[in-house]
Amino acid sequence: MLEKRLGEKLGGGNEKEVFEDLGNPEQAIGVFHAYRQESHNRVKARFYLTKILRFIFPEQIADIHLAASDPHVIVVDKIEGRELDELKFREDDKDIEVFFKSAKELGVWLDYSDFNFKRDKNGNTVYVDSFDPWRVEFGKINPNYDAQKLEGALQRLRGHERELGLSCLKRLEALREEAETDLERSIKEGKLVLD
């Protein structure tokens, strides 16, 4: 069924390939490579982290509509616009530097490569790569975000976006805690856990 929705290839990299969504021309489908297996919690956490960052950085983050593990895909807004020229990217895009600094202050890790950005039809520089919610190191889950700082940034929003963002953060943290419990259990049982 997924194959019927995949249109022209828009891009790709080590993590996934991205295609036009034939079912919705305003969206793109990112299909993760088979070796990029992730737990259900991590896939859901990717969705919630992206939603949170979209609320905080509405002009720099493409909206996410779906994150699924079977098949392992994400569905996001397709960014109509042009690719960034590498030389121009490095010299003239101070807005990228501001965005990266702001994201770093929230503990969010971004891949600072020119092919992870596009200039949209309004002239905004948009980050088009996906967000990895955490990494597993030495038997421990380390989030790629600072929950307290994200909460502070969300508290500065108004109305509905603030409430939705805080709800997403609560769910993101619950998923991280579940993943930590699953990892601890798998280590005790001597099993490999996907994450």
Coordinates of all heavy atoms in Angstrom, one line a residue, residues 3 5 8 12 18 26 29 40 42 50 55 59 64 74-75 92 100 106 115 117 126 130 133 138 147 153 167 194:
E3 N 3.8 1.7 -1.3 CA 4.4 2.0 -2.6 C 3.5 2.8 -3.5 O 3.9 3.5 -4.4 CB 4.8 0.6 -3.3 CG 5.9 -0.1 -2.6 CD 5.5 -0.9 -1.3 OE1 4.3 -1.2 -1.2 OE2 6.3 -1.1 -0.5
R5 N 1.7 5.2 -2.7 CA 1.7 6.6 -2.3 C 3.0 7.3 -2.6 O 3.1 8.5 -2.5 CB 1.4 6.7 -0.8 CG 0.0 6.4 -0.5 CD -0.4 6.6 1.0 NE -0.1 8.0 1.3 CZ -0.2 8.5 2.6 NH1 -0.5 7.6 3.5 NH2 0.0 9.7 2.8
E8 N 7.7 11.0 -6.8 CA 9.1 11.3 -7.2 C 10.0 11.4 -5.9 O 9.5 11.9 -4.9 CB 9.1 12.7 -7.9 CG 10.5 13.1 -8.3 CD 10.5 14.5 -8.9 OE1 9.4 15.0 -9.4 OE2 11.5 15.2 -8.9
G12 N 17.4 12.1 0.1 CA 17.7 11.0 0.9 C 19.0 11.1 1.6 O 19.8 12.0 1.2
V18 N 13.3 10.3 0.9 CA 12.0 11.1 1.0 C 11.4 11.2 -0.4 O 12.1 11.4 -1.4 CB 12.4 12.5 1.5 CG1 11.1 13.3 1.7 CG2 13.1 12.4 2.9
E26 N 0.8 18.1 -0.8 CA 1.4 19.1 0.1 C 2.3 18.4 1.2 O 2.8 19.0 2.0 CB 0.3 19.9 0.8 CG -0.5 20.8 -0.2 CD -1.5 21.6 0.5 OE1 -1.7 21.6 1.7 OE2 -2.3 22.3 -0.3
I29 N 6.8 11.9 2.2 CA 6.9 10.7 3.0 C 8.4 10.3 3.1 O 9.1 10.1 2.1 CB 6.1 9.5 2.3 CG1 4.7 9.8 2.2 CG2 6.3 8.2 3.2 CD1 3.9 8.8 1.4
H40 N 8.8 1.2 19.1 CA 7.6 1.9 18.9 C 7.7 3.2 19.7 O 7.3 4.3 19.3 CB 6.4 1.1 19.3 CG 6.1 0.0 18.5 ND1 5.7 0.0 17.2 CD2 6.2 -1.4 18.7 CE1 5.6 -1.2 16.7 NE2 5.9 -2.0 17.6
R42 N 10.3 5.0 20.5 CA 11.2 6.0 19.8 C 10.5 6.6 18.6 O 10.7 7.8 18.4 CB 12.5 5.3 19.4 CG 13.6 6.3 18.9 CD 14.8 5.5 18.6 NE 15.9 6.4 18.4 CZ 17.1 6.2 18.9 NH1 17.4 5.1 19.6 NH2 18.1 7.1 18.6
T50 N 9.1 16.5 17.3 CA 9.0 17.3 16.1 C 7.8 18.3 16.3 O 7.9 19.5 15.9 CB 8.8 16.5 14.8 OG1 9.9 15.6 14.7 CG2 8.7 17.3 13.6
F55 N 6.1 23.9 17.2 CA 5.4 25.0 18.0 C 6.4 26.1 18.3 O 6.1 27.3 18.2 CB 4.8 24.5 19.2 CG 3.6 23.6 19.0 CD1 3.4 22.4 19.7 CD2 2.5 24.0 18.2 CE1 2.3 21.6 19.5 CE2 1.4 23.3 18.0 CZ 1.3 22.0 18.7
E59 N 8.6 28.7 11.7 CA 9.1 29.0 10.4 C 10.3 28.1 10.0 O 10.6 28.1 8.8 CB 9.4 30.5 10.3 CG 8.2 31.4 10.4 CD 8.6 32.8 10.3 OE1 9.8 33.2 10.3 OE2 7.6 33.6 10.3
I64 N 4.9 17.7 11.2 CA 4.9 16.3 11.0 C 3.4 15.9 11.2 O 2.7 16.4 12.1 CB 5.8 15.6 12.0 CG1 5.9 14.1 11.7 CG2 5.4 15.9 13.4 CD1 7.1 13.4 12.4
I74 N 7.8 8.5 8.1 CA 7.3 9.7 8.7 C 6.6 10.5 7.5 O 7.0 10.3 6.4 CB 8.3 10.7 9.3 CG1 9.4 11.1 8.3 CG2 8.9 10.1 10.6 CD1 10.4 12.1 8.9
V75 N 5.5 11.2 7.8 CA 4.9 12.0 6.8 C 4.9 13.5 7.3 O 4.5 13.8 8.5 CB 3.4 11.6 6.6 CG1 2.7 12.5 5.6 CG2 3.3 10.2 6.1
D92 N 25.9 33.5 4.0 CA 24.8 34.5 4.1 C 23.6 34.1 5.0 O 22.9 35.0 5.4 CB 24.2 34.8 2.7 CG 25.2 35.4 1.8 OD1 26.2 36.0 2.3 OD2 25.1 35.3 0.6
F100 N 20.1 27.5 15.0 CA 21.0 26.5 15.6 C 21.3 26.9 17.0 O 21.3 26.0 17.9 CB 22.3 26.3 14.8 CG 22.2 25.1 13.9 CD1 21.5 25.2 12.7 CD2 22.8 23.9 14.2 CE1 21.4 24.1 11.9 CE2 22.7 22.8 13.4 CZ 22.0 22.9 12.2
L106 N 18.1 24.7 23.8 CA 17.1 23.8 24.3 C 17.6 22.4 24.4 O 16.8 21.5 24.7 CB 15.9 23.9 23.3 CG 15.2 25.2 23.2 CD1 14.1 25.2 22.2 CD2 14.6 25.7 24.6
F115 N 22.4 20.1 3.0 CA 21.3 19.4 2.4 C 20.1 19.1 3.3 O 19.1 18.6 2.9 CB 21.8 18.1 1.8 CG 22.6 17.2 2.7 CD1 21.9 16.3 3.6 CD2 24.0 17.2 2.8 CE1 22.6 15.5 4.4 CE2 24.6 16.4 3.6 CZ 23.9 15.5 4.5
F117 N 18.5 21.5 4.7 CA 17.8 22.8 4.7 C 17.2 23.1 3.3 O 17.8 22.7 2.3 CB 18.7 24.0 5.1 CG 19.1 23.9 6.5 CD1 20.2 23.3 6.9 CD2 18.3 24.6 7.5 CE1 20.6 23.2 8.2 CE2 18.7 24.5 8.8 CZ 19.9 23.9 9.2
V126 N 14.2 26.4 6.1 CA 13.5 25.3 6.9 C 14.4 24.1 7.0 O 15.0 23.6 6.1 CB 12.2 24.9 6.1 CG1 11.4 23.9 6.9 CG2 11.3 26.2 5.9
S130 N 14.8 14.9 10.1 CA 14.0 14.4 11.2 C 14.8 14.5 12.5 O 16.0 14.7 12.5 CB 13.5 13.0 11.0 OG 14.5 12.1 10.8
P133 N 14.9 11.5 19.0 CA 14.6 11.9 20.4 C 15.6 11.6 21.4 O 15.7 12.3 22.4 CB 13.2 11.2 20.6 CG 13.2 10.1 19.7 CD 14.0 10.5 18.5
F138 N 26.0 3.4 26.7 CA 26.5 2.8 27.9 C 25.3 2.3 28.7 O 25.2 2.4 29.9 CB 27.4 3.7 28.8 CG 28.5 4.2 28.0 CD1 28.6 5.6 27.7 CD2 29.6 3.4 27.6 CE1 29.6 6.1 26.9 CE2 30.6 3.9 26.9 CZ 30.7 5.2 26.5
A147 N 14.2 18.7 28.7 CA 12.8 18.8 28.9 C 12.4 20.1 29.7 O 11.4 20.7 29.3 CB 12.3 17.6 29.7
A153 N 10.2 27.2 27.0 CA 10.0 27.8 25.7 C 8.5 27.6 25.4 O 7.9 28.5 24.8 CB 10.8 27.1 24.6
S167 N 1.3 19.3 26.3 CA 0.7 18.0 26.3 C 1.7 17.0 25.5 O 1.9 15.9 25.9 CB -0.7 18.0 25.6 OG -1.2 16.7 25.5
L194 N 15.6 -2.7 20.8 CA 15.7 -1.8 19.7 C 15.5 -0.4 20.2 O 14.5 -0.1 20.9 CB 14.6 -2.0 18.6 CG 14.8 -3.3 17.8 CD1 13.6 -3.5 16.9 CD2 16.1 -3.3 17.1

